[in-house]
Amino acid sequence: MEESGSGSRGSGIVTVMAVAGIVAALSQTLVVPLIGVLPALLGTTASNASWVITVTLLAGAVTTPVMGRLGDLYGKRRMMLVCSVPLVVGCVICAFAGSLAPMVVGRGLQGMGMGMIPLGISALRDVLPPHRLGPAIALMSSSMGIGGALGLPLSAAVAEYASWRVLFWGSAALSLVVAALIWLLVPVTPARARGRIDLLGALGLGAGLVCLLLGVSKGADWGWTSGITLGLLGAAVVLLLAWGWWELRVPRPAGGPARHRPAPGAADERGPRSSSASPCTPSR
């Protein structure tokens, strides 16, 4: 009975993560067919409209390690449900957007929701036995590929024969379905860590990436030798170098796994070595 319960729990989370992978890929490719018409739809320039895609990747890159740490502190299922909130809210904001600013805000919230995917992969390791872990991750990865392959023609067809806002309403409905599946099928995973979040590291990474991407995307409009472009690129270099320096010195960095430093005076794991006997020569 216990093995049957464990198997059903594992099948449930695998199903949820496969659906979540498809929805995540759809959310990423949702606006790709609209790139050519976004400047006219939002009343902006082409370089500004490119931020509709860039901000999703940027928000995901910054918030994903933070969500992973929160999952260790408060439980992965709980944080997956938390991630579904900005995902749904972002889709709704984009569906109502009539200008660039709300569209960028909504897409940024969608990027924050992408932390659900690595949280789910980590939860798989807690729920599934080792012999099922590899196939489950492979299934989830393939589902993301399937979602990306279906997303482009599907979103192009919807944008062609219906309002482009339908894309975001459909994405919001799918995100709600994923949240309901998480609530119903994903088992509670206990918190496995203590401590706090490296907020300074997360803010430093976000600020550095924003300066870098803003300078690169607007450099052609502002001029590559203009003061604001050079200032943004220089600030990006300084911020990212400072971020790297900080991350190498904190025990639990925002951009990587925790590092365990030995306590001062701790003995070597191999134990003390006697100076009077050679470890290679047996006594006769």
Side-chain angles (χ1 to χ4, degrees):
M1 293 292 293
E2 187 175 347
E3 291 181 0
S4 175
S6 177
S8 62
R9 290 193 311 163
S11 300
I13 191 174
V14 171
T15 302
V16 171
M17 293 317 301
V19 176
I22 294 175
V23 174
L26 286 172
S27 298
Q28 290 287 343
T29 58
L30 200 63
V31 297
V32 173
L34 301 176
I35 286 297
V37 296
L38 273 180
L41 292 175
L42 302 177
T44 186
T45 63
S47 60
N48 287 338
S50 66
W51 275 86
V52 173
I53 293 179
T54 303
V55 71
T56 308
L57 303 175
L58 175 62
V62 174
T63 58
T64 293
V66 176
M67 288 297 177
R69 176 64 178 154
L70 288 173
D72 292 336
L73 291 174
Y74 302 110
K76 299 176 181 65
R77 177 179 179 270
R78 179 182 299 176
M79 294 314 302
M80 289 171 70
L81 290 170
V82 169
C83 285
S84 66
V85 175
L87 195 58
V88 174
V89 173
C91 292
V92 173
I93 291 176
C94 290
F96 282 113
S99 60
L100 180 65
M103 179 66 78
V104 169
V105 171
R107 291 290 291 170
L109 289 172
Q110 284 183 301
M112 292 176 63
M114 293 300 106
M116 180 189 303
I117 302 303
L119 282 170
I121 295 177
S122 181
L124 288 176
R125 303 180 65 90
D126 294 338
V127 175
L128 296 180
H131 68 275
R132 292 190 57 191
L133 183 60
I137 294 178
L139 175 63
M140 184 194 150
S141 301
S142 63
S143 70
M144 294 183 68
I146 293 170
L150 294 176
L152 288 174
L154 182 62
S155 57
V158 172
E160 179 71 21
Y161 299 106
S163 171
W164 59 273
R165 300 179 190 276
V166 174
L167 293 173
F168 294 102
W169 286 119
S171 182
L174 290 174
S175 301
L176 284 174
V177 170
V178 170
L181 290 174
I182 293 172
W183 179 266
L184 295 173
L185 299 178
V186 175
V188 176
T189 55
R192 297 186 176 274
R194 295 181 180 179
R196 57 183 182 178
I197 308 167
D198 179 23
L199 287 177
L200 186 60
L203 292 174
L205 176 61
L209 289 176
V210 167
C211 290
L212 176 63
L213 294 174
L214 188 59
V216 170
S217 64
K218 300 295 291 182
D221 297 335
W222 294 338
W224 291 106
T225 58
S226 66
I228 186 170
T229 302
L230 294 177
L232 284 170
L233 295 178
V237 172
V238 173
L239 286 169
L240 291 175
L241 287 176
W243 171 79
W245 175 87
W246 172 258
E247 294 293 275
L248 290 174
R249 282 158 177 78
V250 294
R252 293 188 177 275
R259 286 185 294 274
H260 300 283
R261 298 180 180 178
D268 188 89
E269 291 182 357
R270 293 169 296 180
R273 178 176 295 182
S274 172
S275 59
S276 59
S278 170
C280 303
T281 307
S283 58
R284 297 181 181 271

